[in-house]
Structure formats: structure tokens, C-alpha cells
Amino acid sequence: MNQDTATPGSVRPGGRTARVRDSVLRAAGDLLAERGFATLDLAEVAARAEVGKTTVYRRWRTPAGLVADLLAEMAETSLPHSDTGSLRGDLLDNARLVGKTLTDTRQGRLFRAVIAAATSDDTAAAALRGFYDTRLAEWSPCVEAAVARGEVPAGTDPRAVLSAVSAPLYYRLLVSGDPVDEAAIAAAARAAAIAAEQGVFVSGATPSA
Amino acid sequence: MNQDTATPGSVRPGGRTARVRDSVLRAAGDLLAERGFATLDLAEVAARAEVGKTTVYRRWRTPAGLVADLLAEMAETSLPHSDTGSLRGDLLDNARLVGKTLTDTRQGRLFRAVIAAATSDDTAAAALRGFYDTRLAEWSPCVEAAVARGEVPAGTDPRAVLSAVSAPLYYRLLVSGDPVDEAAIAAAARAAAIAAEQGVFVSGATPSA
């Protein structure tokens, strides 16, 4: 998916190069979580990672290139999708995964920093979309299985269902400030599942109130 | 209604003072929409508004104080809530209002700037919460009326229902990059209404998948 496109830093060879990438991404993630995107500086990342400045500039080019690779790495290490046997169970697991990411001190801060950057930087925005495209591709089979089991109508759009699970949790983190707790996680999963069962997310459906 | 608390700049007298406020907030909104929050500068706002620098510093104190007052003004001028006679109709109107705000070139940029600021600035975050608290208070009677009409169960939480309408639209704007179009607006309203009808947003309900 998008982490395999030619975004700077997205090549992932093994050995020493892989260790350099690990160090650089760890340092970049720490700095992002500590101080946000606006002050992210490639020379400082190189110093903290104990890697040559030239290597970092050549391989990641810009702060946005670093963010893109950081999100690609997070997408790669995402848990595999659930297979609980029901859409409601799978969506609850998905909501818990999203909730865990957003409430984790380091990852939550990192996401806030990347989302803030994405509001004004096209490369950061593209990196964020790439992360979601990867995660959506990983979890889409849960919705396809629910269609096959007859739990939701044929033509139900996996992207719409999974976005409906994530959206209320991001809204709490970024906008309303309400807590991302277990009740919110369960309600997000349940609301999305019920709406999907009622055919709200059938693609091309004529929307009606 | 948080816009009536003692946030800098929240006093709203009439006459010349009101005209000064209008000019300053218009200039601040323009600068935010053009360049974001990070570079918002009180002296530049004063110059563009053709208002004395001292007045701006004394009354709004900080960039975050300006953002707080700008959001208070937007909340004040929000449309009154709908009364279509059904929850589905009212939520569709609410979704259209949110969609209109987010897709308006100037207001959409302004919101992105404020949300970006809120990820790292507590005063901007408080201003954003205040805006939503005001809008939620304005629209809550729609949900209360739906309870009275028996469309949704007693104990349904208006804040949860209205957040469920907004969340997918903000998620598109900030995270997935999917368009905030009429189909997305209708689906957001319909999914929230259906989940509310099924009791997902009854406060204190034991969440279950």
C-alpha cells in the first residue's frame, strides 16, 4: 500500500541500513512527541540518533519525509485484523486498537503532531492518508466477511464502516476533548455496526434522512 | 456557554468598542486562514485592523486569546437549531451546518488552523471546546424533543448524538482526506440517528458489542 510507494525513506533494506532507520525513526518520534512538527529538525534528529547528518538528509530529505516513514513503520507494525466471527466483535477490536493508539502517551502525542502538520503541509497530509489506507486495507476483510455472512447488505463499503469506527475517537482527541475511554470505544464500534447493518454504508446508496 | 466566561476579549460592549472588535477579529481570521496559528502576531493583526497595538495587547493579550474570541463570535452567529419535527430531519440540518462550516474556504482553513493550534496550546484547546459547548447547547433541544416524541429512548445523551453527527465530517477534513460532500453529510446524520434510535447513546448504558 502507500508505504511501498517512492516516498523518501520508504525503502526498507535489512542489516546496518535497517538499524540506522530504527535509530532515526525513534529519535524523530521522540522529538515529535516532545515538541511537535513545527520544530522538527533533521540535524537534531541525526545528532540524537547518532547517525551522520548527510545520511539523514540524503535518505529522508525533509521533516515531512521523516514523518511519512514514521507512519509507514507504524502501519507495518499494526496488529493484524481480528476475526472474531462477527462484525460487532471485529469492530470492537478495531475501535480498541484505535483507542490504544490515541491514548498511548507517545503515540497519541505523535498523532496529534502529525495531524497538526497535515493541516498545513501536503506531504504530512499524504503520509497520514497513507497510514489510514494501509490500516483500512488490513481491516477491510472483516467487513467483506460480514457481507458474506449476511450481517450487512451487499455493497457495504469497508472504508466507510471503518472510518465510522475511528471518527468519534479522533473527534474526542482533537475537537471535543471528551475522554477516549472504554465506553466511548464500545459506543463507536456499536454505532458503526448498527448503521452498517441498516445499510447506511452501502456505496452508491441514495442517501436519505 | 463558555463565550461568557472571562476569556480575554470575550466582553462584548456596543458602539466603537464593538467596531474595534469586528475589525480585529476579521484581521485575525484572515491571517489565520492565510498562514495558520504558528505565525499569528498581535502587532500584525493590529496593523491590518488599523487599530492601536496597545488596544489589541490589552484586550486580547495573546494569539490564543484572539482565537478564543474569534470562536466565541462564530458560536454567537451560528444558525439557531432546526425544528423539522423529526430527529432525522434535525440531524440532517445539523450535519449540513457542520459541513458548510468545514467546506467554506475561509472558515474551513480557520478551523484547521485552530485545531492544529489546539493540539499543542491549552488556551486554543479550551477555546475550541467552548465553541462546541455553545453549539451543543444550541442543538440539544432537538434530541430532547426526539425523546419526548418517543423517537429515541429516554436518557439519550444529546452531546453524544450531536458529536456522532460531527465526528465523521471532521475525520474526513483532518485525517482521511475523503471529501465532505452531500453524501457524507447525509450518511453522518443517518448513522447517528439510527444508532440513537437503537439506544447506543443512552447515558450510563452498559456498552456492549
Side-chain angles (χ1 to χ4, degrees):
Chain A
M1 324 272 137
N2 291 28
Q3 86 270 33
D4 288 318
T5 59
T7 317
S10 66
V11 187
R12 298 185 303 282
R16 189 180 168 279
T17 317
R19 285 195 304 277
V20 165
R21 182 187 183 224
D22 286 348
S23 306
V24 168
L25 293 187
R26 191 170 319 111
D30 289 346
L31 284 168
L32 266 179
E34 284 164 27
R35 301 204 304 259
F37 179 75
T39 60
L40 189 66
D41 177 72
L42 264 60
E44 195 180 357
V45 170
R48 194 183 276 215
E50 299 179 353
V51 165
K53 224 163 44 169
T54 321
T55 305
V56 174
Y57 278 101
R58 199 180 52 230
R59 186 150 162 203
W60 287 277
R61 290 181 214 163
T62 62
L66 266 177
V67 165
D69 199 31
L70 199 56
L71 287 177
E73 189 196 42
M74 282 178 65
E76 288 157 33
T77 57
S78 266
L79 294 176
H81 73 77
S82 291
D83 185 10
T84 63
S86 78
L87 182 64
R88 292 198 178 199
D90 289 350
L91 293 188
L92 184 59
D93 281 354
N94 182 264
R96 284 188 172 136
L97 171 64
V98 175
K100 205 176 128 192
T101 305
L102 299 186
T103 56
D104 177 271
T105 310
R106 187 173 183 280
Q107 291 200 335
R109 272 206 207 127
L110 200 148
F111 261 87
R112 272 196 292 263
V114 172
I115 289 166
T119 62
S120 60
D121 183 300
D122 289 345
T123 314
L128 193 58
R129 314 295 176 248
F131 173 82
Y132 285 99
D133 287 343
T134 305
R135 192 170 266 188
L136 285 169
E138 172 62 30
W139 284 78
S140 287
C142 299
V143 179
E144 288 152 16
V147 172
R149 285 188 302 256
E151 292 176 68
V152 296
T156 296
D157 176 18
R159 184 178 180 92
V161 176
L162 293 163
S163 296
V165 175
S166 288
L169 306 176
Y170 277 87
Y171 185 77
R172 284 168 178 257
L173 180 79
L174 296 169
V175 182
S176 75
D178 292 337
V180 180
D181 53 17
E182 181 60 25
I185 286 166
R190 207 169 148 231
I194 288 173
E197 289 159 11
Q198 299 297 314
V200 173
F201 304 122
V202 173
S203 38
T206 307
S208 69
Chain B
M1 327 263 184
N2 292 29
Q3 85 270 37
D4 288 319
T5 60
T7 317
S10 66
V11 186
R12 297 186 302 282
R16 189 183 168 276
T17 318
R19 286 196 303 278
V20 165
R21 183 187 183 224
D22 285 350
S23 306
V24 168
L25 293 188
R26 192 170 320 112
D30 289 346
L31 284 167
L32 267 179
E34 285 164 26
R35 301 205 304 258
F37 179 76
T39 60
L40 189 66
D41 177 71
L42 265 60
E44 195 180 357
V45 170
R48 194 184 275 215
E50 298 180 354
V51 164
K53 222 162 46 169
T54 321
T55 305
V56 174
Y57 278 101
R58 200 181 50 230
R59 187 151 162 204
W60 287 278
R61 289 181 215 163
T62 61
L66 267 176
V67 165
D69 199 30
L70 199 57
L71 287 177
E73 189 197 42
M74 283 179 65
E76 286 157 35
T77 56
S78 265
L79 294 176
H81 71 78
S82 291
D83 186 9
T84 62
S86 78
L87 182 64
R88 292 199 179 198
D90 289 350
L91 293 188
L92 183 59
D93 282 353
N94 182 265
R96 284 187 173 138
L97 171 64
V98 174
K100 205 176 127 193
T101 305
L102 299 186
T103 55
D104 177 271
T105 310
R106 186 173 184 279
Q107 291 199 335
R109 272 205 208 129
L110 200 149
F111 261 87
R112 272 197 290 264
V114 172
I115 289 166
T119 61
S120 60
D121 181 301
D122 289 345
T123 313
L128 193 58
R129 315 294 177 249
F131 173 81
Y132 285 99
D133 287 343
T134 304
R135 191 170 266 190
L136 285 169
E138 172 62 30
W139 283 79
S140 287
C142 300
V143 179
E144 288 153 16
V147 172
R149 284 189 301 258
E151 293 176 67
V152 297
T156 296
D157 176 18
R159 185 180 180 90
V161 176
L162 293 163
S163 297
V165 175
S166 288
L169 305 177
Y170 277 87
Y171 185 78
R172 283 169 179 257
L173 180 79
L174 296 168
V175 181
S176 76
D178 292 337
V180 179
D181 54 17
E182 181 61 25
I185 287 167
R190 206 168 150 232
I194 288 173
E197 289 159 10
Q198 298 298 315
V200 173
F201 304 122
V202 173
S203 38
T206 307
S208 69

